[in-house]
Amino acid sequence: MKWTALLILTIGLFVFWPKDEARSPISSTKQKSASVQRPSTERRRSGGHSTSSGLQNATTKDLEEQILSQWPEIESGLPARDPRVVKFIRTLRELGKRDGPGTLDFLDQLDQTDKEAAWIQARMAVAGGWALSDPEAAARSLLEKDHILQENYQELTMDFNLGSKTPAHQSITRAARQIFELWAEENHEDVKKTAVEIVSRGSMWNFGIQTQLCAIANRDGVLSGTASINRNSIDYILNNPNRTVPQFHASQSRPLTSEMQTIGEPDFNQEGWAARNPELALGMIHERRFEKEPDLISLISGLARTHEDYGSLLAMADPTERMKVASHLVQMKHPTVSERIWQLDGRETTWRLPPEIRSQAAETLIKVGRFTPSQRETLMMKFNSFPVTPPELPNQQKDPAE
């Protein structure tokens, strides 16, 4: 009888004892991917990554005093990963959310000497916070001269020989896109009407901002950042159902695919998306859920911003793609413009590895990777080369004596 009772107790423990989590089967990357969705509108509207509970609980006066104390240490050349930049932007976002126009007036008292680009980015961070509480007001104010951006802001933030490739200008246009996205969530038709009016008016003082407005008005996101905008192109931008996605040069950042636009934490390009969503990116690579070879290179390059084992990243490429992927990984050692772009939405940058760490990772890849002598020599040349920069414009000015 005693043995019978003991046997029943043992069986009961085996059947009803909670399963050890460590023994539960590991879900596949695809299953994880399906469960991760784009942050909700409510989360993004409330501030998302841009504010912390400490800032939300602080008084407006305390936040303004923080800005005054932080400003002397803020310069446009600071990299996006610098904690001073992240704290500065988050504080401005919280102030802007409470009182956008009042905070913009407050920024006027800051000394802008030799720091105009940083000051303009500060105003855009405030505008982003304002858009969290009143997206339409912030968006419309952004489109008017001298409300958020002064008429000459492009002269202070752009290198006209290189287009808009300076970190300050790119951070401003990205922030503008996010503001217009918030407005479109509330009333897309108003965004579309405003885009038509702006383009028809022919105002070109804020071309970069205007481009972002048209990109949001066009739900497909087809309009490229450098496309010309004029009255003749408005039908193409907004009303042409047969438009196609423009082709991007290999050196440009790849636009998000439709899948990337609906899962994970959003970003502006494939590299940033992969860095913010490494599990999703790995699943996409392993299952080959991308259309073209440049997409693979972009995804792996994004992972290389945060993951220093470049050998394991290269192993994900097919043999025919290895050298192209290796070349991109090796050139990751060079500092890039994009890693200096401030995240004016208050998020951490996707560039977690500084150039010196990326350089070590690239050098290790060349030394231990399975390459032929000629391939290794080619990679070493790329490793030792200078960063790729646009060629200097030829001097077209004629000699006065001619």
Side-chain angles (χ1 to χ4, degrees):
M1 193 70 178
K2 183 189 299 183
W3 290 106
T4 303
L6 182 60
L7 179 61
I8 293 173
L9 177 62
T10 302
I11 294 174
L13 288 172
F14 179 80
V15 172
F16 295 104
W17 191 264
K19 297 294 186 296
D20 186 351
E21 289 184 4
R23 294 186 180 182
S24 61
I26 299 175
S27 59
S28 67
T29 306
K30 190 172 184 178
Q31 290 173 326
K32 289 181 181 179
S33 301
S35 65
V36 182
Q37 298 296 325
R38 179 184 288 272
S40 67
T41 302
E42 181 180 355
R43 178 185 175 191
R44 283 181 283 150
R45 183 60 51 81
S46 64
H49 305 273
S50 64
T51 57
S52 64
S53 58
L55 293 177
Q56 291 172 349
N57 295 331
T59 66
T60 298
K61 183 177 180 181
D62 287 340
L63 295 178
E64 290 178 345
E65 289 178 352
Q66 288 183 36
I67 293 299
L68 293 176
S69 65
Q70 293 166 0
W71 179 244
E73 299 181 354
I74 300 298
E75 296 184 6
S76 296
L78 289 176
R81 71 173 63 87
D82 193 300
R84 292 172 293 179
V85 172
V86 177
K87 185 177 181 180
F88 182 64
I89 297 304
R90 287 179 176 172
T91 306
L92 289 168
R93 292 265 293 184
E94 178 62 26
L95 281 169
K97 183 180 176 182
R98 299 181 186 188
D99 180 6
T103 305
L104 292 172
D105 291 340
F106 164 74
L107 291 183
D108 287 337
Q109 65 182 283
L110 299 181
D111 183 6
Q112 304 159 33
T113 307
D114 299 325
K115 299 171 69 170
E116 294 94 341
W119 180 75
I120 296 171
Q121 290 176 92
R123 294 180 68 83
M124 285 300 292
V126 170
W130 183 10
L132 294 174
S133 56
D134 192 345
E136 181 177 357
R140 291 192 182 280
S141 186
L142 182 58
L143 295 169
E144 298 296 329
K145 292 181 185 178
D146 299 322
H147 283 220
I148 295 174
L149 296 177
Q150 66 270 40
E151 185 173 0
N152 67 334
Y153 86 94
Q154 294 183 113
E155 298 175 12
L156 302 173
T157 62
M158 281 184 67
D159 183 332
F160 286 91
N161 290 328
L162 301 178
S164 61
K165 295 184 180 296
T166 62
H169 195 269
Q170 289 193 53
S171 69
I172 290 169
T173 55
R174 286 183 175 188
R177 188 181 184 96
Q178 291 167 332
I179 291 170
F180 295 140
E181 283 176 342
L182 288 173
W183 184 19
E185 287 173 5
E186 284 198 345
N187 193 329
H188 184 267
E189 285 303 311
D190 273 1
V191 174
K192 186 173 180 178
K193 291 177 183 177
T194 303
V196 174
E197 293 171 2
I198 291 291
V199 173
S200 300
R201 198 186 308 164
S203 173
M204 298 298 290
W205 74 272
N206 58 349
F207 178 71
I209 306 300
Q210 179 178 316
T211 302
Q212 299 305 320
L213 175 69
C214 291
I216 299 303
N218 169 20
R219 283 191 183 277
D220 297 335
V222 171
L223 181 64
S224 75
T226 56
S228 61
I229 303 176
N230 52 50
R231 298 183 185 184
N232 294 329
S233 66
I234 193 65
D235 179 67
Y236 171 83
I237 296 169
L238 300 175
N239 302 312
N240 181 3
N242 298 318
R243 54 186 175 261
T244 57
V245 177
Q247 298 298 313
F248 282 72
H249 188 272
S251 65
Q252 290 180 295
S253 298
R254 299 282 296 172
L256 299 181
T257 64
S258 57
E259 182 178 6
M260 294 174 191
Q261 292 173 2
T262 56
I263 61 174
E265 184 180 345
D267 205 271
F268 290 90
N269 51 46
Q270 291 187 11
E271 292 91 335
W273 182 88
R276 294 197 187 281
N277 305 278
E279 286 192 7
L280 296 175
L282 287 171
M284 192 171 290
I285 292 172
H286 288 313
E287 298 173 18
R288 289 301 190 259
R289 301 199 318 271
F290 51 83
E291 297 179 2
K292 299 179 181 179
E293 182 183 272
D295 293 335
L296 171 66
I297 294 174
S298 294
L299 291 172
I300 292 179
S301 296
L303 294 172
R305 297 182 179 186
T306 61
H307 185 66
E308 58 185 290
D309 184 358
Y310 285 6
S312 66
L313 297 180
L314 181 61
M316 292 186 286
D318 293 332
T320 57
E321 304 163 338
R322 279 175 55 82
M323 270 304 288
K324 288 184 179 180
V325 173
S327 295
H328 279 264
L329 289 173
V330 166
Q331 293 185 81
M332 290 285 289
K333 65 161 283 191
H334 298 304
T336 70
V337 171
S338 61
E339 68 183 301
R340 304 189 76 86
I341 296 175
W342 291 359
Q343 297 293 134
L344 297 186
D345 58 5
R347 291 189 294 178
E348 296 283 350
T349 179
T350 61
W351 289 89
R352 301 301 174 84
L353 301 181
E356 55 269 22
I357 299 298
R358 304 200 303 268
S359 179
Q360 294 173 10
E363 189 172 15
T364 300
L365 175 67
I366 297 173
K367 289 181 178 179
V368 304
R370 298 175 61 183
F371 302 110
T372 65
S374 62
Q375 288 175 333
R376 185 169 282 107
E377 182 179 357
T378 298
L379 292 175
M380 279 303 301
M381 289 178 60
K382 293 181 179 293
F383 180 85
N384 294 321
S385 66
F386 292 102
V388 178
T389 56
E392 292 186 10
L393 296 174
N395 185 3
Q396 299 292 343
Q397 186 174 358
K398 291 185 178 181
D399 190 308
E402 292 182 0

